[in-house]
Amino acid sequence: MKRLLKRCWAVLMSLALLLSCCASAEEAPLALNEAAMFDYMVDEFEGIAQIPRGSGNTNAISDYLFAWGEEHGFAAMQDEVGNVRWDVEATPGYEDVPLIVLQAHMDMVVVSDDGRDMTQSPIAVVVDEENNVITSDGHTSLGSDDGMGLVSIMYLVTTDEYAHGPLRVIITINEEGGEPSGVGNMDHSWVTDAKYLINIDSEDYATCTVAACGFMSYQFNVPLTSEAVDEGKIAYTIDLNGTKGGHSGVDIDKNRANSIKAVNYCLAWAKYNGIDVQIASFTGGTGSTAIPALASATVVFSPEYEEQFKAEMDQTIALFAEQYDRTEAGYSFTYAPAELPESALTADCSATVIDLVASLEEGVNTISQRYEGITETSFNLGTLDVAAGEESTTISLSMRCSTRWPVMLANMQFVAIGNAFGVEVTSWGEDPFNPENINVGWEEREGDTIALLYKQAFDSYTGDECVITAVHGGLECADFASWSEELEIISVGPTIENPHSVSEYVEIDTVTKTCGAVATLINSIANGVTVAE
């Protein structure tokens, strides 16, 4: 019976392809088997999840994907840094259709709240069809960014349910950070002979992204001075963990707490009120592209201020709860006596660190005037690691940006802050503070048709309405666009909530619908469908 059903399904698909060949300026919706699509994607995603693939730890996943391509009969390549490419032959009869690149990245931001070694640990995938979500076990990030892009591409290049011209798959390493850069070391010819590039790395269903922000990073290089701790002093540790954190681009406007800034406020408030706190250690965050969901500081001070310190802490924790009563839940914000450390930063050095962190902006900076509801520029203090006994520390602040003027202001602002504190401020690249060298990312190109074709395909296939927009996140599309003025690029994807955090989840139905819309787009291009008037 199953074989008969499969044969019937194959006949129906053949008829669908035959009808689609007759299209000219009208969309021909595909009748894809979304149940089979979903099962296939889950199987592949669970396989990928068994391979640790944090940024900078991509050798194993790169080898896996290269072998996967070879096993499926594609012309597979793996470059020196680990980027993977598959060349997929066209459906017979469609060999002359322009080349389309399908692109995703293989690495993920790894976050855990239980101390496990994420360079060795697999991700526990939980498929909850009743609630329409795929999650992790709740203690690690899921890796749906960009695991969903990977498995969507795997489906698209193995199914025979739609017609396509020649396809090329490009899967990059270290998109989320780390060295070496995948796209930065890629042979440009991998994309420059293509007509279209579809990046499957966006995180909002029913959107087609045609622009994305650039990225700046500022390093404040702070010398540290330590001294032995007076035995007459006392120590307290302040801990904040379990906040939502999330993606420093797409989640920056959601009133998420920055744990580093919150803990630093405790130190700054104590200092402001006359307590000479000395930092023994101050750490927080997991990566520059993630809103920090944890931070901890151990400080020492004179016991005469203990009751004052406790009262200030109680006040701060209560005000924090009031601010985040609608966006944060399940976090722990505590303070407690600690064992007296042997050394701490001097009072003056501690004051420099505290005041410097307090002076650095975080969160939304400006709102786009072109794309409704999209953040234009923002700041994120993603990681901090200060320890007594060390000679120096580097405090890094990232800025996402899609226009030059706010970056020019930030450049001079942070140089001025560095001058005021007597610390060196640097950034990436040659002459990074020169306005001509500002990276504003991927900008929309007038006259390209692929976004309109995708919207047409999406609306027809899903019955929902697609919005053409920009995203406040970094996408490799910016690099690809800079290599070719002829290449037409879009970025699409399912709904992924809380990426880069232990609360990450993906909405199941948006994965299959988005993948079906991409298949419809590729089928439309293969059959010469044009943008309807």
Side-chain angles (χ1 to χ4, degrees):
M1 185 64 179
K2 287 184 177 179
R3 287 184 178 179
L4 179 59
L5 289 173
K6 285 184 177 179
R7 288 176 182 174
C8 291
W9 182 257
V11 171
L12 288 172
M13 289 302 98
S14 296
L15 288 172
L17 287 177
L18 181 61
L19 290 171
S20 69
C21 292
C22 300
S24 57
E26 294 183 1
E27 198 65 44
L30 298 178
L32 302 178
N33 185 344
E34 288 196 3
M37 182 196 304
F38 171 72
D39 289 341
Y40 180 90
M41 288 183 176
V42 168
D43 287 345
E44 294 292 353
F45 187 67
E46 288 178 336
I48 290 170
Q50 301 308 302
I51 306 170
R53 55 188 178 91
S55 300
N57 182 35
T58 57
N59 289 343
I61 187 63
S62 176
D63 290 344
Y64 173 86
L65 292 170
F66 173 71
W68 191 96
E70 284 197 320
E71 289 169 7
H72 286 78
F74 308 138
M77 297 175 59
Q78 187 180 38
D79 68 13
E80 291 183 357
V81 299
N83 296 313
V84 170
R85 165 178 159 179
W86 308 326
D87 283 340
V88 182
E89 292 182 357
T91 302
Y94 291 87
E95 292 83 1
D96 293 333
V97 172
L99 175 64
I100 297 175
V101 172
L102 300 174
Q103 193 266 323
H105 63 85
M106 66 184 76
D107 61 313
M108 63 175 283
V109 173
V110 289
V111 179
S112 71
D113 66 2
D114 58 5
R116 73 180 74 177
D117 181 2
M118 295 306 295
T119 65
Q120 304 295 325
S121 302
I123 303 296
V125 178
V126 178
V127 180
D128 183 355
E129 292 190 62
E130 182 178 351
N131 292 304
N132 189 41
V133 295
I134 301 174
T135 68
S136 71
D137 62 3
H139 294 290
T140 71
S141 47
L142 176 63
S144 56
D145 174 12
D146 189 24
M148 289 299 116
L150 285 180
V151 297
S152 295
I153 289 173
M154 288 172 163
Y155 164 79
L156 289 166
V157 297
T158 55
T159 184
D160 59 0
E161 292 186 307
Y162 74 104
H164 60 80
L167 301 176
R168 177 173 299 156
V169 174
I170 296 175
I171 310 170
T172 53
I173 66 167
N174 297 340
E175 188 270 353
E176 301 288 5
E179 294 293 336
S181 164
V183 70
N185 288 279
M186 184 184 297
D187 186 336
H188 294 192
S189 67
W190 279 25
V191 302
T192 52
D193 59 342
K195 172 64 175 175
Y196 304 107
L197 187 146
I198 305 169
N199 167 277
I200 309 181
D201 188 23
S202 287
E203 293 158 359
D204 289 299
Y205 173 71
T207 64
C208 177
T209 299
V210 293
C213 66
F215 194 83
M216 297 285 290
S217 180
Y218 303 91
Q219 292 80 46
F220 297 81
N221 305 301
V222 185
L224 301 179
T225 306
S226 303
E227 64 183 14
V229 172
D230 186 334
E231 292 183 359
K233 292 193 173 182
I234 59 174
Y236 268 79
T237 294
I238 305 166
D239 281 307
L240 174 56
N241 59 73
T243 58
K244 284 187 177 179
H247 192 292
S248 63
V250 297
D251 292 326
I252 201 70
D253 62 347
K254 296 178 180 176
N255 196 36
R256 303 282 175 83
N258 184 308
S259 294
I260 293 172
K261 294 287 284 186
V263 169
N264 190 75
Y265 174 83
C266 298
L267 310 186
W269 185 232
K271 172 179 169 292
Y272 177 83
N273 286 295
I275 305 176
D276 285 334
V277 290
Q278 293 180 252
I279 298 172
S281 64
F282 188 2
T283 61
T286 56
S288 63
T289 62
I291 300 169
L294 53 87
S296 178
T298 297
V299 294
V300 300
F301 52 88
S302 297
E304 64 187 281
Y305 294 108
E306 183 171 17
E307 293 306 313
Q308 177 186 339
F309 177 82
K310 290 162 64 177
E312 292 170 0
M313 280 301 309
D314 290 339
Q315 179 192 47
T316 298
I317 292 171
L319 291 172
F320 181 90
E322 180 181 304
Q323 172 66 23
Y324 296 106
D325 63 336
R326 296 184 181 181
T327 56
E328 301 285 0
Y331 66 85
S332 172
F333 198 170
T334 62
Y335 66 99
E339 182 178 348
L340 195 67
E342 293 183 358
S343 64
L345 303 186
T346 63
D348 286 345
C349 184
S350 296
T352 295
V353 170
I354 293 167
D355 289 346
L356 176 57
V357 173
S359 72
L360 299 180
E361 292 188 59
E362 58 92 15
V364 174
N365 180 42
T366 60
I367 301 296
S368 175
Q369 301 300 302
R370 180 167 187 176
Y371 301 104
E372 184 177 356
I374 300 297
T375 301
E376 182 180 66
T377 58
S378 68
F379 300 100
N380 183 59
L381 177 58
T383 60
L384 187 71
D385 188 3
V386 177
E390 297 295 325
E391 293 185 356
S392 64
T393 190
T394 299
I395 300 173
S396 296
L397 181 80
S398 62
M399 181 180 189
R400 294 181 183 269
C401 50
S402 53
T403 57
R404 287 176 174 77
W405 180 253
V407 185
M408 291 159 60
L409 297 180
N411 284 346
M412 295 303 98
Q413 175 185 348
F414 295 135
V415 167
I417 288 174
N419 291 338
F421 285 99
V423 302
E424 180 187 22
V425 182
T426 58
S427 188
W428 294 340
E430 184 177 348
D431 195 12
F433 299 115
N434 186 329
E436 295 181 358
N437 295 333
I438 292 171
N439 172 23
V440 293
W442 170 35
E443 298 180 276
E444 182 178 2
R445 286 179 177 168
E446 299 294 337
D448 285 1
T449 62
I450 189 170
L452 294 173
L453 284 171
Y454 178 76
K455 174 177 170 52
Q456 191 168 282
F458 182 95
D459 294 358
S460 174
Y461 179 79
T462 68
D464 298 324
E465 184 176 357
C466 178
V467 175
I468 298 174
T469 187
V471 66
H472 189 62
L475 290 170
E476 292 165 307
C477 302
D479 295 274
F480 301 134
S482 71
W483 300 348
S484 170
E485 294 183 358
E486 305 301 322
L487 185 65
E488 297 191 22
I489 306 172
I490 58 170
S491 179
V492 300
T495 292
I496 298 174
E497 296 290 350
N498 310 319
H500 303 186
S501 78
V502 299
S503 302
E504 180 181 352
Y505 68 87
V506 59
E507 294 182 4
I508 290 172
D509 63 338
T510 67
V511 177
T512 52
K513 286 183 178 181
T514 300
C515 189
V518 173
T520 303
L521 169 65
I522 297 171
N523 183 78
S524 298
I525 292 171
N527 288 291
V529 173
T530 58
V531 176
E533 294 295 332

